[in-house]
Amino acid sequence: MTTQTPLWEVFIRPRNGLAHRHCGSLHAADAEMALQAARDVYTRRGEGTSIWVVPSAEITASDPKDKDALFEPTADKIYRHPTFYEIPDEVGHM
Amino acid sequence: MKKELFELLLRVADDHLVLGHRVSEWCGHAPTLEEDLALPNIALDLIGQARSLYTYAGEIEGKGRDEDALAYMRREREYHNLLLVERPNGDFAQTVLRQLYFSVFMHGWWREAAKSTDETLAAIAAKAVKESVYHVRHAAEWTIRLGDGTEESARRMAAAVEALYPYTGELFETDAVTDALSKAGIAPDPASLKAEWERTIADVFAEAELALPGEAWQHSGGRKGVHSEDMGHLLAELQHMQRTYPGLTW
């Protein structure tokens, strides 16, 4: 059956979490079933969490071979790094 | 009223323990890994509900029987669960439908029991009703997918409807115990939940493209301890260890 059911990627926002994090994948017949399975497999029913499921086929990933072209050029331009500012506490998480 | 309340708690606890045991038999045998987590998850909910009910029943009875004594040291004729829940798992379709019939009923039952004048029962129900929402959704989704799936899954679902329908009448049976408790506002009158149950089942069946069964002869007896032949085997397996080494701490 798993060969006939598509793969889904699961993103979960923990109860006190700010953002959804990728936590794994699973096989399910459709989005509704994927949500239920994700709840069983990944949340253990900790209430107040939010779950996203996305068909794996919908995700486009960067190619590891492009690593140099994509990420290298920023490394030596420190003015691109917003690390020279102090963030007031009131701003909270950024 | 204590005698009636004890009897009722025992009935509902027996329903949940026996069904929980049945569902747990799927562990490692479900059609997919995801389902293999969902089914034991449901089994654990059911057994948790049984534990709360047995513990409270033991307190009401006041003879020092705890949850283990009630679960493991009673014989088949002393078990008062519905015949529906002791039905063998059969194929996945049959398990799903048994689950749908029972959890739709229990969802209504827990919702009403949460308003019970008995505080402990109301508290147990308030916790269980949340779990039952998930159980209904899980069983309904699968009923729809199998009923409206392939030719074979539809055939199996239809066979399950035929096999299990004669066990649904017992859900709504009333007797002196349920009458007394519903009059006192302690537990819901099972008959009052029938119309809602039928509506929900009809909605799910419509979406699943399953034909509703017509009228059929109904089995009865579970509430009086008169079980089907599968029950003794189930208890033999469930109780084996406690029977061999009774009264141990584990």
Side-chain angles (χ1 to χ4, degrees), chain A residues 59-74:
Chain A
I59 292 178
T60 308
S62 61
D63 188 334
K65 276 185 300 198
D66 295 338
K67 195 174 115 218
D68 292 347
L70 285 175
F71 309 118
E72 200 71 4
T74 61

Side-chain angles (χ1 to χ4, degrees), chain A residues 1 33, chain B residues 35 92 96 138-147:
Chain A
M1 193 169 175
M33 300 299 266
Chain B
E35 204 45 38
F92 188 61
V96 160
H138 177 267
E141 295 283 358
W142 272 118
T143 304
I144 292 163
R145 270 156 193 80
L146 294 173

Side-chain angles (χ1 to χ4, degrees), chain B residues 16 61 125 140 148 177 181 184:
Chain B
H16 286 76
E61 189 194 32
D148 189 18
V177 172
L181 291 168

Side-chain angles (χ1 to χ4, degrees), chain B residues 1-20:
Chain B
M1 199 62 73
K2 270 199 167 174
K3 212 174 121 245
E4 285 85 358
L5 180 56
F6 172 70
E7 170 59 28
L8 181 95
L9 291 167
L10 211 52
R11 289 178 184 181
V12 185
D14 288 349
D15 289 345
H16 286 76
L17 179 67
V18 170
L19 186 59

